[in-house]
Amino acid sequence: MSIADPIERALSRSGHRLTAPRRAVLDTMRDLGNHFTAEDVQHASPAVGRATVFRTMKLLRDLDIICQVVLDDGAVVYQLNEEDDSQHHHHVVCSECGKVAEFASDGLERVLDDVARATGFEIDAHRLEFYGRCAACHAR
Amino acid sequence: MSIADPIERALSRSGHRLTAPRRAVLDTMRDLGNHFTAEDVQHASPAVGRATVFRTMKLLRDLDIICQVVLDDGAVVYQLNEEDDSQHHHHVVCSECGKVAEFASDGLERVLDDVARATGFEIDAHRLEFYGRCAACHAR
DNA sequence: GTACATGCAAAACTTTTGCAGTATG
DNA sequence: CATACTGCAAAAGTTTTGCATGTAC
């Protein structure tokens, strides 16, 4: 039987078992919608053991199903990657409602080259986050 | 009497006291050279109480004397800002030796505009980190 | 049926707080 | 000499681990 949900399929295909607690954690993350911490997930799924929440989140992180978002204040939270977008991308975080949008970086190449030249570093990865106010919060 | 060290002067001028533990923490940070965590500092200055290390680091962060660096794996560490460079800047982290170089972002404006247009966000802050290998490690 | 996954509880960490004593400005 | 700061120890919070039990495949 083939699995309908793409995330559950990815889990299964990578050799991991599709268990009730894992489904519960995934559903919770979808319900939370925005970014969340392990504590958020645990709180919204009290039936799942604390350790399992951490173990599941670590697994999902390794599989690139969730990704880290670094907030303005340095706190690190997580977010489900958008469908088929386990690609490299960045985040814009709304400081009012917490909404996060993703975007792909194109123009960053130039900055990267400049920095490589100026510092002598060979750069192979980066992290970029923007902070501001989303259209809705901005309008108010 | 005027204070020779620019950081100590900044501390004093902002209405804080120049105490032995604070000097010890600052000296330790300079010794560590690179980025460090609260634990690194505490470990290198056993004479200073644990709580004081945390309180001092919080203070230095508020005064923009140290800044956060987010590592590749999401861990957040700290680093002394370079002299007179409490300005906005970014970091390139060597994944081999841990060395961190700072740089100012110029070309980021274009990326920022693109993202603002594409997402509808009004962007007022950002965070950018590059990861790679420094010239020395790269040469080896 | 077997290996993987879970839940629980304890352990290991990290960071914060209350308070009595100390020392800076 | 007032009050900002410190150290200690306890508390609060977070993440990990060991182990017996359960369950997906």
Side-chain angles (χ1 to χ4, degrees):
Chain A
M1 173 204 121
S2 102
I3 300 158
D5 183 82
I7 295 184
E8 297 188 353
R9 195 163 50 232
L11 251 186
S12 171
R13 251 187 306 170
S14 56
H16 299 278
R17 294 185 178 171
L18 218 42
T19 64
R22 283 182 181 164
R23 285 170 191 272
V25 166
L26 279 170
D27 287 348
T28 298
M29 287 176 171
R30 284 194 256 246
D31 284 351
L32 292 173
N34 234 312
H35 52 79
F36 41 77
T37 61
E39 209 230 319
D40 294 334
V41 174
Q42 158 82 101
H43 184 260
S45 303
V48 179
R50 188 174 292 268
T52 300
V53 169
F54 281 99
R55 284 186 284 230
T56 303
M57 285 183 73
K58 186 192 201 101
L59 175 62
L60 296 179
R61 205 184 337 137
D62 289 344
L63 294 177
D64 270 321
I65 290 170
I66 58 177
C67 65
Q68 295 184 325
V69 180
V70 182
L71 300 187
D72 215 355
D73 63 357
V76 176
V77 298
Y78 290 88
Q79 174 171 302
L80 278 171
N81 274 324
E82 283 169 14
E83 302 251 334
D84 75 302
D85 180 23
S86 309
Q87 307 296 5
H88 187 67
H89 62 267
H90 304 287
H91 303 108
V92 211
V93 185
C94 177
S95 45
E96 254 170 73
C97 69
K99 181 183 170 186
V100 177
E102 295 183 1
F103 66 91
S105 65
D106 306 325
L108 209 56
E109 303 301 322
R110 173 179 286 101
V111 181
L112 197 152
D113 289 343
D114 288 350
V115 172
R117 202 170 307 113
T119 63
F121 273 64
E122 182 192 45
I123 296 168
D124 50 45
H126 60 273
R127 183 193 288 276
L128 172 63
E129 322 265 356
F130 282 118
Y131 308 103
R133 298 199 303 154
C134 71
C137 289
H138 181 215
R140 273 193 288 105
Chain B
M1 175 205 119
S2 101
I3 300 156
D5 184 82
I7 294 183
E8 299 190 352
R9 198 164 48 232
L11 250 188
S12 171
R13 251 188 305 170
S14 55
H16 297 94
R17 292 185 180 171
L18 219 42
T19 65
R22 284 183 181 162
R23 285 170 192 273
V25 166
L26 279 170
D27 287 348
T28 298
M29 287 176 172
R30 283 193 257 246
D31 284 351
L32 292 175
N34 236 311
H35 52 78
F36 42 76
T37 60
E39 208 230 317
D40 294 334
V41 174
Q42 157 82 96
H43 184 260
S45 303
V48 178
R50 187 175 292 269
T52 299
V53 169
F54 281 98
R55 284 186 285 230
T56 303
M57 286 183 72
K58 186 192 201 103
L59 175 63
L60 296 179
R61 203 178 343 133
D62 289 345
L63 294 176
D64 270 320
I65 289 169
I66 59 177
C67 65
Q68 295 185 323
V69 180
V70 181
L71 299 186
D72 217 355
D73 63 356
V76 177
V77 298
Y78 290 88
Q79 174 171 301
L80 279 171
N81 274 324
E82 282 170 13
E83 302 251 332
D84 74 306
D85 180 24
S86 309
Q87 306 298 4
H88 186 67
H89 63 267
H90 304 285
H91 303 108
V92 211
V93 185
C94 177
S95 47
E96 252 171 77
C97 68
K99 181 182 169 186
V100 177
E102 296 183 2
F103 66 91
S105 66
D106 305 326
L108 208 56
E109 304 300 323
R110 173 179 286 101
V111 181
L112 197 151
D113 288 343
D114 289 348
V115 172
R117 202 171 306 113
T119 63
F121 273 64
E122 181 191 48
I123 296 167
D124 50 46
H126 60 271
R127 182 192 289 275
L128 173 63
E129 322 265 356
F130 282 118
Y131 308 102
R133 298 199 303 155
C134 70
C137 289
H138 180 216
R140 273 194 289 107

